[in-house]
Amino acid sequence: MSQGSERPVLAGAGLVGSLLAVFLARRGKAVEVFERRPDMRREQISAGRSINLAISVRGLYALEQVGLEQEALAHAIPMLGRMIHARDGSLAFQAYGKDDSQCIHSISRGLLNRMLLDAAERTGRVRLSFRRRVVGLDLARRELTVEGDDGRTERLEHAVVYGTDGAGSAVRRSVVDARGGTSHEMTLAHGYKELALPAGPDGGWRLERNALHIWPRGDFMLIALPNEDGSFTCTLFLAFDGTPSFATLEAPGAVRTFFREHFGDVEPMLPDLEAQYGGNPTGSMVTVKCSAWHSGDRALLLGDAAHAIVPFFGQGMNCGFEDCVVLDGLDAEGAPRDELFARFEELRRPNADAIADMAVENFVEMRASTADPRFLLEKAIEKRLLAELPADFVSRYALVTFSRAPYRVAYDAGRIASGIVSELAEGLGSAAEVDLGRARALVAARLTPFLRERL
Ligand SMILES: Cc1cc2nc3c(=O)[nH]c(=O)nc-3n(C[C@H](O)[C@H](O)[C@H](O)COP(=O)(O)OP(=O)(O)OC[C@H]3O[C@@H](n4cnc5c(N)ncnc54)[C@H](O)[C@@H]3O)c2cc1C
């Protein structure tokens, strides 16, 4: 068995693991990272999961802490709102924020991960070992087992292991067992399939570039995020079984017919739809709620390993990046590691649970309600209140996406805010009819005291 050291060991060099390595190295630690996949900077491999993702304030703040925000933004595309595609091809744009400065950014997952791996290496304190999978963790003995591509295993002593090995975390199993905790993994009945929508003949974007496109169709939906090269990545979210479902699209010609019927405006832009559909994997989505995130001073879970969430609030990575910021802040206070880990779990778990629930709720909103007149009226009223009462009214979306307020606070404040909007919407035909005096009074009575107490 290899001799251990005080070197922290990280299992997984995805988005969160590679960022955590940078933070730990900046605190003077020599870090050992094991990643099961090949080095994506040297070999053409998929970065896993989605091709691109939305990064917002929490994620950008984390990157800013390690000096990478501007580099990331240079390759990102601002998305100022949702572009809703109705069945008849008509478009409706819903801005995300009160002005264009409040936007989210579409960024390539591969590019961001490579950027973070480079940054980790540049610290001079991080050793990255690829094609090395963590297959066992005996916390009582402080023993880690790592398997290479050739099947050979090596056992190492360790002082501390950080589980950044994603939703299917091997580290999580050991941590939960050691603490006698529980881990609930809830897989959604819907899956997802990515499809590339190529750039136009002139190399430009064939849909509005600065928007997140949504084709809400009740029980299923298509979305599209822009890429730097003029293409879009579309994602079809659809049930695995039932009608329609991934199962019913197996029949010859079914995919083309389905797209023509439900996403008529985009279907002609996907000439190789059948080939892509057949060639690209169908992914599943899981929410992980786990009652034990650390084991004494020996192991800690971060990112999806601790709290995988479904992607409908665009917050999984943002939340994982925020984990790194919070841990680094606690680290700076210099508490013993077991106290630090316990404090981290205590601070982060309620927030992770809150964003997990909001992400599930947002799925319903995205696929169904975005096309519903009552929903559109309430969104318009919400927008009006954000504009007219900028110092007092906040929406859940704004708190989650454009602030670093704890997710738990965003969840509860969002409930209060949407209750107010819903009350104001009763009997109205348009947002222009809102009684602003009443709105002010409701906000002052319910939302302001709550936020004053929590923030
Ligand atoms: C379709 C989809 C769209 C999404 N869109 C967004 C979005 O718009 N915005 C957002 O913020 N989030 C989004 N997410 C969520 C985001 O992808 C995750 O939250 C994020 O990838 C979590 O990062 P992570 O490093 O914790 O885990 P992962 O990205 O899963 O990385 C884990 C790493 O660990 C490695 N690994 C796994 N097991 C082992 C092992 N035993 N030993 C060694 N290495 C191992 C893996 O190879 C991988 O490199 C989306 C997710 C999906 C599925």
Side-chain angles (χ1 to χ4, degrees), residues 65-85:
Q65 299 311 296
V66 296
L68 292 175
E69 185 198 19
Q70 290 313 317
E71 191 182 340
L73 280 178
H75 295 283
I77 299 183
M79 296 183 289
L80 307 178
R82 297 160 158 171
M83 185 69 84
I84 307 297
H85 296 242

Side-chain angles (χ1 to χ4, degrees), residues 12 16 35-37 49 54 109 134 165 304 314 316-318:
V16 175
E35 166 57 50
R36 70 178 175 191
R37 294 181 301 186
R49 319 287 213 88
R109 178 189 293 268
V134 171
D165 48 347
D304 275 18
M317 167 194 65
N318 284 287

Side-chain angles (χ1 to χ4, degrees), residues 219-241:
D219 193 51
F220 56 94
M221 68 174 177
L222 184 73
I223 69 166
L225 271 70
N227 296 313
E228 239 189 326
D229 64 0
S231 68
F232 280 83
T233 302
C234 302
T235 310
L236 172 65
F237 294 96
L238 180 65
F240 283 111
D241 296 305

Side-chain angles (χ1 to χ4, degrees), residues 8-12 17-18 20-21 24 31-35 134 161-162 164:
V9 174
L10 268 66
S18 46
L20 180 65
L24 291 172
V31 185
E32 181 86 56
V33 185
F34 294 111
E35 166 57 50
V134 171
V161 176
Y162 292 92
T164 50

